[in-house]
Amino acid sequence: MLDLKHYTKQAKRMSLDSLKYAVSDIKECWRVNPEFEQGKTEYSKKLWAEWDAYTVEIQNRRKV
């Protein structure tokens, strides 16, 4: 949960373009390394925390 708080805080400081790039980079990482999408390793948990924080921030900005 600590990672999600960290990435949520970080997402608020990032530009929309940076957020979109990070999300596309995570998707590409999952495509190339499908085992990371399963969320079993520490690195895959980090990716999921980033994904959650960045996609929520993108959605919140679209509401405005």
Side-chain angles (χ1 to χ4, degrees), residues 4 12 19 21-22 24-25 28-29 32 34-35 37 40 48 53 56 64:
L4 182 56
K12 293 180 186 309
L19 290 166
Y21 179 81
S24 68
D25 190 49
E28 180 63 16
C29 184
V32 175
E35 67 275 11
E37 194 171 3
K40 294 181 181 178
W48 274 109
V56 167
V64 175

Side-chain angles (χ1 to χ4, degrees), residues 6-7 20 28 30 32 35 42 44 46 53-54 63:
H6 169 78
Y7 291 116
K20 288 178 180 179
E28 180 63 16
W30 285 337
V32 175
E35 67 275 11
E42 288 304 310
S44 61
K46 172 204 167 299
Y54 298 166
K63 290 179 185 176

Side-chain angles (χ1 to χ4, degrees), residues 1-62:
M1 202 60 154
L2 180 63
D3 284 342
L4 182 56
K5 285 183 180 183
H6 169 78
Y7 291 116
T8 299
K9 193 182 239 184
Q10 181 175 314
K12 293 180 186 309
R13 296 188 308 259
M14 295 170 68
S15 70
L16 186 57
D17 286 338
S18 294
L19 290 166
K20 288 178 180 179
Y21 179 81
V23 168
S24 68
D25 190 49
I26 293 167
K27 287 167 72 174
E28 180 63 16
C29 184
W30 285 337
R31 187 187 70 76
V32 175
N33 303 288
E35 67 275 11
F36 292 155
E37 194 171 3
Q38 296 172 8
K40 294 181 181 178
T41 67
E42 288 304 310
Y43 184 69
S44 61
K45 290 175 186 175
K46 172 204 167 299
L47 289 176
W48 274 109
E50 284 186 283
W51 172 267
D52 287 344
Y54 298 166
T55 56
V56 167
E57 183 62 25
I58 290 168
Q59 291 171 353
N60 287 341
R61 291 185 190 186
R62 289 183 177 161

